Amino acid sequence: MPDTDVEVGADVAAKEKMVLIAASGDLDKAWPVLILATTGAAYGMDVTVFFTFWGLGILKKPGVGLVGDDWRQKMLSAFKKGSPGGLQLSTLNFGGLGARMMKDLADDNKVASVQELLDLAQQMGVRLWPCRMTMDLMGLQTEHMIDGLDRPAGAGAAISLMKQAKISLFI
Amino acid sequence: MPDTDVEVGADVAAKEKMVLIAASGDLDKAWPVLILATTGAAYGMDVTVFFTFWGLGILKKPGVGLVGDDWRQKMLSAFKKGSPGGLQLSTLNFGGLGARMMKDLADDNKVASVQELLDLAQQMGVRLWPCRMTMDLMGLQTEHMIDGLDRPAGAGAAISLMKQAKISLFI
Amino acid sequence: MPDTDVEVGADVAAKEKMVLIAASGDLDKAWPVLILATTGAAYGMDVTVFFTFWGLGILKKPGVGLVGDDWRQKMLSAFKKGSPGGLQLSTLNFGGLGARMMKDLADDNKVASVQELLDLAQQMGVRLWPCRMTMDLMGLQTEHMIDGLDRPAGAGAAISLMKQAKISLFI
């Protein structure tokens, strides 16, 4: 292992990059995003997840009420509450029963929850980038989001990173 | 800047490629497709978008009536009218109210509309490829589509291009 | 063409790789997965499809009844029957009528069915990897799946392969 800052820097620079775009706030998309991100990090990759549009819901702090100054932003936040523990299935959701059943089933099968995977991702150095433009669109501010995120970023930053990445996926 | 055709050609050949596959006709997928395409072009990339299956709806000319010779094609065109301004949300659509609300909200937040992004993409030289096979499947012909598209292409052409691309995403 | 094992090996090693992640069990996603996989193979690529979560439904043997020991797994298998011939559309499905109409329309337009594309993919040497973790989650075992699949694999194997691939798509 390198033991100086310079060498560590060189080592980091040499790491292969994975970029994931998380554009959906569904439980059945949040899982693959975070399983790929943490597995990639475990395999030594330098991983960044760019959360945009509905995907921002994955990062919402639990218990945040209505969001935004505009009635339309408030409606969006009322209908899509989000938060790591509050995601719903894209199919077979049955008003939340399906999502609850799937989470229990996952738990019994030792599949980590979205909250646990987010914690793990942060511990492993996965960068979590919320999309600035869609945060503004939905009236979301940093205080509405979970702790430990990187600063909001734009599509240009995501593209610059994907150009250097070995793996880029839109999920 | 290069000032001869030969050098321009060399410059174009050296541009890094981005290929996006647009397979969904939902507003919340059309936006990321076109924001990534135009941002990529602004960052100097050579961008191609391959529109297939429901994604063809993004390219439908407004006001086109029933499409196709077959009653099933006619039904598809009746239920999925498409057109840049007529796209619907994949979630919270509420019979079109959600899509209208989201478009108004985007407009107030200076987010370009799908129509504006398509125009911008064309001006920036983004290539828009409709998928030949799914056009035939749905009974769509060139006169049903917006102007300025490239000739219909097949999956093989998309794959050949993705093999050379720095960024390929299925959206 | 090479005519010894060693040369064949060298030839295979030199093939460009495509990796597709099939995470949806909808007909309108199974089609692009399998059309890209078989077209990629026809263009000389070394193709692997990793089927996970709802995407496992594409590989379910027709006529398999309730699956799993757990009531929740049984419910999942009852509501998402899957099988190559039994997939449903993500939109305009109308309780299965839309999917049936689309399959008939595809058939009349000489578009291969999911079953035919799976057979073709296997004949062309496309590797079909079911995801081990989500098979366990859903209580699926090898006997519930169609013949000729590769052994269940994990996310790490998919990532290792994508790192070497020219084209990686999440569909």
Side-chain angles (χ1 to χ4, degrees), chain A:
Chain A
M1 289 293 290
D3 58 1
T4 72
D5 273 3
V6 173
E7 287 180 45
V8 170
D11 184 54
V12 169
K15 271 191 173 184
E16 293 175 311
K17 289 182 172 57
M18 179 194 288
V19 180
L20 305 175
I21 302 186
S24 159
D26 293 324
L27 176 61
D28 31 5
K29 289 292 181 73
W31 253 322
V33 164
L34 293 168
I35 289 169
L36 287 169
T38 51
T39 308
Y43 275 62
M45 297 189 83
D46 175 56
V47 183
T48 303
V49 188
F50 182 70
F51 294 83
T52 186
F53 216 86
W54 306 120
L56 290 170
I58 301 172
L59 302 179
K60 268 177 72 183
K61 204 178 273 183
V64 168
L66 298 188
V67 160
D69 298 322
D70 185 292
W71 67 269
R72 295 162 299 192
Q73 292 170 336
K74 290 195 178 87
M75 272 193 70
L76 282 175
S77 68
F79 279 101
K80 285 279 182 191
K81 286 203 189 69
S83 88
L87 305 180
Q88 305 296 313
L89 286 173
S90 69
T91 178
L92 302 189
N93 194 55
F94 299 116
L97 282 176
R100 174 177 295 270
M101 194 190 85
M102 186 63 85
K103 288 173 199 174
D104 287 348
L105 184 60
D107 196 48
D108 289 353
N109 279 273
K110 318 282 181 223
V111 175
S113 70
V114 168
Q115 180 64 67
E116 289 165 339
L117 288 165
L118 275 172
D119 292 344
L120 184 61
Q122 291 185 318
Q123 288 160 28
M124 295 175 97
V126 172
R127 273 183 301 278
L128 306 176
W129 287 6
C131 167
R132 184 186 300 121
M133 188 186 83
T134 47
M135 278 185 71
D136 290 347
L137 182 65
M138 299 192 175
L140 287 165
Q141 300 188 351
T142 304
E143 70 252 32
H144 302 128
M145 314 299 275
I146 60 171
D147 295 328
L149 301 184
D150 287 82
R151 296 179 61 161
I159 286 173
S160 297
L161 205 60
M162 286 192 286
K163 282 207 290 189
Q164 308 163 38
K166 282 279 181 184
I167 305 176
S168 298
L169 301 172
F170 187 102
I171 297 183

Side-chain angles (χ1 to χ4, degrees), chain C residues 46-69:
Chain C
D46 175 56
V47 182
T48 303
V49 188
F50 182 70
F51 293 82
T52 185
F53 217 85
W54 305 120
L56 290 170
I58 301 171
L59 303 179
K60 268 176 71 182
K61 203 178 274 183
V64 168
L66 299 187
V67 160
D69 298 324

Side-chain angles (χ1 to χ4, degrees), chain B residues 54 72 80 133 156 163, chain C residues 16 28 35 91 101 104 108:
Chain B
W54 306 120
R72 295 163 300 194
K80 286 278 183 193
M133 190 186 83
K163 283 207 290 188
Chain C
E16 293 176 310
D28 31 6
I35 289 168
T91 179
M101 195 191 83
D104 287 348
D108 290 353

